[in-house]
Amino acid sequence: MSLAIIGCGNPNRSDDGAGPAVIDRLHRESLPAGVTLYDAGTDGMAVLYRARGLSHLIIVDARAPEDAPGAVYEVPGDLLQAPPPQSLNLHDFRWDHALYAGQRIYGADFPKFVKVLLIEASTLELGLTLSTPVEAAVDKVVQDVKAQAKRYGEGLWQ
């Protein structure tokens, strides 16, 4: 059994960097054995390859701005997986496509337990800093992921 936490997003587009910010902060924390951290950026193929062979997976990403910047949504991965578009451009292959393809390609060698944490963005404009509500949400998600990793380490996340 192994757990990976994968942060997705573009830190050059303000709040889209929420996933990588969570991973950066988790690198400074004490996590149980068997937990690995990855910053996949915007590379859906990296999610596909990093998830292979895992039993558990948490993906953290920003979601498009609506009316609640900084809100955190936890969604089971199977509800968000989507078939990849018919495209020759790998930039079109996102983590939701990786979840879909990974289940079909790797079968039992792909995580059975997948959670996705989405942080609603305030802005996706070019910029290197997170907005105030997303900064606060990143801190909240770090604490939540630490708690989930602890439960995993204790064998309580099945």
Side-chain angles (χ1 to χ4, degrees), residues 3-6 22-38 58 141-154:
L3 164 65
I5 299 136
I6 301 178
V22 167
I23 298 304
D24 181 57
R25 292 177 194 178
L26 284 170
H27 275 295
R28 298 180 219 138
E29 301 290 338
S30 176
L31 298 172
V35 176
T36 54
L37 303 171
Y38 300 107
I58 298 173
V141 168
V142 166
Q143 296 309 310
D144 180 48
V145 169
K146 279 177 47 180
Q148 291 188 50
K150 182 178 182 215
R151 283 193 302 278
Y152 164 81
E154 295 170 346

Side-chain angles (χ1 to χ4, degrees), residues 1-61:
M1 289 194 12
S2 55
L3 164 65
I5 299 136
I6 301 178
C8 299
N10 183 348
N12 296 313
R13 296 194 64 91
S14 303
D15 292 342
D16 195 39
V22 167
I23 298 304
D24 181 57
R25 292 177 194 178
L26 284 170
H27 275 295
R28 298 180 219 138
E29 301 290 338
S30 176
L31 298 172
V35 176
T36 54
L37 303 171
Y38 300 107
D39 175 350
T42 60
D43 184 1
M45 294 301 289
V47 174
L48 177 73
Y49 299 136
R50 294 289 187 185
R52 182 179 184 188
L54 298 173
S55 59
H56 295 69
L57 174 63
I58 298 173
I59 293 175
V60 182
D61 196 6

Side-chain angles (χ1 to χ4, degrees), residues 129-146:
T129 58
L130 300 174
S131 67
T132 300
V134 170
E135 185 77 41
V138 164
D139 289 337
K140 178 183 173 190
V141 168
V142 166
Q143 296 309 310
D144 180 48
V145 169
K146 279 177 47 180

Side-chain angles (χ1 to χ4, degrees), residues 34-117:
V35 176
T36 54
L37 303 171
Y38 300 107
D39 175 350
T42 60
D43 184 1
M45 294 301 289
V47 174
L48 177 73
Y49 299 136
R50 294 289 187 185
R52 182 179 184 188
L54 298 173
S55 59
H56 295 69
L57 174 63
I58 298 173
I59 293 175
V60 182
D61 196 6
R63 66 169 274 187
E66 288 187 15
D67 58 357
V72 177
Y73 306 90
E74 181 176 319
V75 185
D78 60 341
L79 294 179
L80 296 177
Q81 57 179 277
Q86 296 296 321
S87 170
L88 298 177
N89 182 350
L90 286 180
H91 292 287
D92 293 338
F93 191 88
R94 303 180 318 242
W95 59 259
D96 53 336
H97 305 135
L99 295 179
Y100 177 88
Q103 290 291 334
R104 280 140 191 86
I105 295 169
Y106 300 128
D109 200 28
F110 203 75
K112 180 178 177 185
F113 304 100
V114 180
K115 294 181 183 182
V116 179
L117 298 172

